[in-house]
Amino acid sequence: MSLNVAVIVGSLRKGSFSRSVALAVKELAAPRMNLNLVEIGDLPLYNPDMDENTPAPWARFRGEVAKVDAVLFVTPEYNRSIPGGLKNAIDVGSRPYGKSVWQGKPAAIVSVSPGLLGAFGANHHLRQPLVFLDMPILQQPEMYLSKAGDFIGEDGKVNNDATRDFLKSFAGKFADWIERNRGAGY
Ligand code: FNR
């Protein structure tokens, strides 16, 4: 049976490089993993007062994450950290207190940038809340994808063979990691 994995893309942009990478991993990871994008763009900013009357997008998001075996984060870097929308999604999923949908779910992070540093800062800032949320995070291979404009075509597809091979090999290691860590922390 396939491993079910939620993919959360840190960018809300239509032509997002990160989304292109997420879709390439989805294709390359099948059939061992079944990856599905979980959208974060419609989530109201987290405010604990609103948990008394849960907004529908929060319930939808929490439900989609709660049912999967693992979570893949594919994110750009904003100002040497993660985009605010992604941090908001993490906060929404972490509450109400004691009901975090992240608890114990194996995770991996792919950071993507058109620049030279591969969004290293975002990749490592993202690790901080995920460690606190008790998610076993894949450590190797490290996935800092730089110069995204060089391996993503006008059609939004990852078109470079070496990058596709790298993503495929990463997907295999992540699947191994999920199998080893599934159920941890529950
Ligand atoms: C950026 N960008 C950026 N890039 C980077 O490598 N390090 C950074 O710190 C930042 N900071 C930053 C802040 C803000 C507010 C924006 C809008 C952009 C550039 C960013 O990598 C580029 O726009 C990517 O194309 C964003 O990823 P998506 O949307 O293509 O997935």
Side-chain angles (χ1 to χ4, degrees), residues 4-8 33 65 68-74 90 101-110 123 126-127 129-131 133-141 143 170-171 173-184 186:
N4 283 313
V5 179
V7 186
I8 297 179
M33 288 196 288
V65 176
V68 297
D69 298 309
V71 185
L72 171 64
F73 294 88
V74 184
I90 291 168
V101 294
W102 309 113
Q103 176 68 39
K105 286 196 196 296
I109 300 170
V110 177
N123 191 307
L126 181 52
R127 284 172 197 271
L130 302 193
V131 166
L133 292 165
D134 203 13
M135 302 181 82
I137 312 165
L138 182 69
Q139 295 181 13
Q140 295 288 346
M143 299 298 288
F170 155 74
K173 299 224 166 82
F174 185 33
D176 294 342
W177 178 253
I178 296 168
E179 279 167 359
R180 284 213 302 281
N181 290 281
R182 205 158 31 151
Y186 283 105

Side-chain angles (χ1 to χ4, degrees), residues 11 13 15-19 76-81 112-115 119:
S11 170
R13 197 170 75 82
S16 161
F17 290 133
S18 309
R19 184 169 287 261
E77 178 171 88
Y78 277 8
N79 301 310
R80 295 287 181 257
S81 185
V112 182
S113 174

Side-chain angles (χ1 to χ4, degrees), residues 3-174:
L3 298 165
N4 283 313
V5 179
V7 186
I8 297 179
V9 175
S11 170
L12 307 182
R13 197 170 75 82
K14 257 192 256 134
S16 161
F17 290 133
S18 309
R19 184 169 287 261
S20 292
V21 169
L23 293 173
V25 177
K26 175 179 168 68
E27 178 204 328
L28 295 163
R32 192 167 170 206
M33 288 196 288
N34 174 31
L35 270 63
N36 285 301
L37 268 62
V38 174
E39 300 298 336
I40 64 169
D42 62 341
L43 300 176
L45 284 181
Y46 185 66
N47 175 346
D49 294 342
M50 288 158 63
D51 268 324
E52 285 163 23
N53 190 8
T54 309
W58 290 4
R60 188 266 312 155
F61 178 75
R62 289 167 177 162
E64 286 184 58
V65 176
K67 69 182 186 198
V68 297
D69 298 309
V71 185
L72 171 64
F73 294 88
V74 184
T75 188
E77 178 171 88
Y78 277 8
N79 301 310
R80 295 287 181 257
S81 185
I82 60 174
L86 176 55
K87 181 58 166 59
N88 184 52
I90 291 168
D91 294 341
V92 168
S94 72
R95 295 282 156 148
Y97 185 77
K99 295 198 172 156
S100 167
V101 294
W102 309 113
Q103 176 68 39
K105 286 196 196 296
I109 300 170
V110 177
S111 58
V112 182
S113 174
L116 293 176
L117 301 179
F120 174 90
N123 191 307
H124 283 265
H125 272 190
L126 181 52
R127 284 172 197 271
Q128 182 164 330
L130 302 193
V131 166
F132 173 69
L133 292 165
D134 203 13
M135 302 181 82
I137 312 165
L138 182 69
Q139 295 181 13
Q140 295 288 346
E142 295 175 293
M143 299 298 288
Y144 312 116
L145 302 188
S146 57
K147 299 174 89 174
D150 288 1
F151 60 79
I152 296 172
E154 291 287 317
D155 59 358
K157 298 255 166 69
V158 174
N159 57 17
N160 174 282
D161 286 342
T163 307
R164 290 178 68 83
D165 287 349
F166 184 41
L167 292 175
K168 194 173 172 72
S169 139
F170 155 74
K173 299 224 166 82
F174 185 33

